[in-house]
Amino acid sequence: HRTDTAVWALQTADGRRYARVNTTVGELDTVRDISNPSQVAQSADGAYVFSDSYSKLTRIDAALPTDLDEEALRSSPSTPAGTTDVVTADDYVAYRTDSGAVFVGRLSSGEATQLDPFPKADEDAPQYTSDAIALDGRGMLFSYSSADASVLRYDIPASEVRARDDFAADGITTPVITAAGDTWAVVDGSDGEVWMKGADAAVPTPTTGSVLVGQPDAAGTAVYLADETALVRVPVDGSAVTTEVGSGAGVLGTPARPTVHDGEVFAAWL
């Protein structure tokens, strides 16, 4: 996540800290302690930290960053109850809860509303539930629901459903979702099989074990998967899958989520 030349990062293993990296000189210029951090997010206008298992959202004071202990975080806005999954893109944010409910909003307001894409006359009708969500820089939400047997494309700024595509597939054990433009891809995170919008069958990929999928790219023509051995490109037009980094044999490490920025793909392994 970038704002000017500053990138905010979290340390969650040996010590719990958040830090600002000056990318111009490649150095840390700020390091502060934080209690129980979960994720850092950054928009064009500010940086934010999710903490306490995604239950709190705190805006970082870029001018005077302070240690964020339990007392300081207690007064921060709460996220939707039961939040287990958070995706962000610029100022847009979407939450998925342990019941599958989806909430959407903006980081800057700290508020989110529950997604009810198909209002029903029956008040007792079940709520919309999701198995996987993703978000691109336009504020377009992609949501896969096994209960609804569909993939939803929802425009957060317009508060409008843009598309609902029927999709039912057997054998997806760890569903995740990403997209290139308006073309979504549901991926089994356990083995890297890809179900693309409009395709008749899953696309196998040369991945090993579990995979991470790249963030959606509104201007993209392919989606990216990373495993411990490689970075794989899957074009949305159905052309050949290619391995962009790695051989698929040697272990590179634990993958970070692939990210496209200004048309360039970034991948890393720890």
Side-chain angles (χ1 to χ4, degrees):
H1 304 283
R2 299 193 59 169
T3 298
D4 298 326
T5 60
V7 173
W8 291 90
L10 282 183
Q11 178 187 27
T12 58
D14 184 14
R16 295 178 177 181
R17 301 177 181 89
Y18 71 99
R20 179 168 54 198
V21 183
N22 185 323
T23 59
T24 300
V25 297
E27 295 179 354
L28 295 174
D29 66 17
T30 302
V31 180
R32 296 290 185 269
D33 291 330
I34 181 172
S35 174
N36 198 21
S38 304
Q39 181 175 317
V40 66
Q42 193 164 333
S43 70
D45 298 320
Y48 303 81
V49 173
F50 294 95
S51 61
D52 294 333
S53 300
Y54 296 107
S55 67
K56 290 289 186 177
L57 172 62
T58 305
R59 181 164 184 152
I60 295 172
D61 185 344
L64 191 63
T66 60
D67 291 337
L68 297 173
D69 57 18
E70 291 184 8
E71 183 176 353
L73 294 171
R74 195 172 296 123
S75 61
S76 296
S78 295
T79 62
T83 292
T84 58
D85 188 14
V86 177
V87 292
T88 66
D90 197 23
D91 193 40
Y92 301 107
V93 60
Y95 304 91
R96 191 174 68 89
T97 72
D98 51 9
S99 68
V102 178
F103 294 76
V104 296
R106 291 180 179 265
L107 292 169
S108 54
S109 70
E111 299 176 353
T113 57
Q114 185 169 356
L115 180 63
D116 185 16
F118 317 120
K120 301 177 180 65
D122 182 1
E123 293 183 358
D124 295 326
Q127 69 173 14
Y128 174 79
T129 59
S130 173
D131 297 82
I133 56 175
L135 191 58
D136 73 17
R138 300 171 296 177
M140 195 69 69
L141 173 74
F142 297 85
S143 174
Y144 162 58
S145 170
S146 59
D148 190 57
S150 71
V151 173
L152 185 74
R153 185 158 55 88
Y154 182 81
D155 187 332
I156 294 177
S159 300
E160 184 176 334
V161 175
R162 295 298 187 188
R164 177 187 174 276
D165 301 313
D166 291 339
F167 174 69
D170 296 328
I172 303 179
T173 59
T174 310
V176 290
I177 190 169
T178 185
D182 291 334
T183 302
W184 50 261
V186 174
V187 180
D188 191 333
S190 66
D191 61 17
E193 278 200 322
V194 179
W195 284 261
M196 201 78 69
K197 174 186 176 183
D200 295 329
V203 177
T205 60
T207 54
T208 302
S210 61
V211 301
L212 284 179
V213 301
Q215 296 177 344
D217 178 16
T221 58
V223 299
Y224 292 86
L225 284 62
D227 67 5
E228 63 180 11
T229 67
L231 172 69
V232 174
R233 180 180 187 269
V234 185
V236 297
D237 64 2
S239 53
V241 175
T242 57
T243 299
E244 302 293 291
V245 177
S247 64
V251 174
L252 300 174
T254 301
R257 188 176 305 282
T259 300
V260 180
H261 181 72
D262 290 342
E264 189 172 359
V265 184
F266 296 86
W269 290 260
L270 301 175

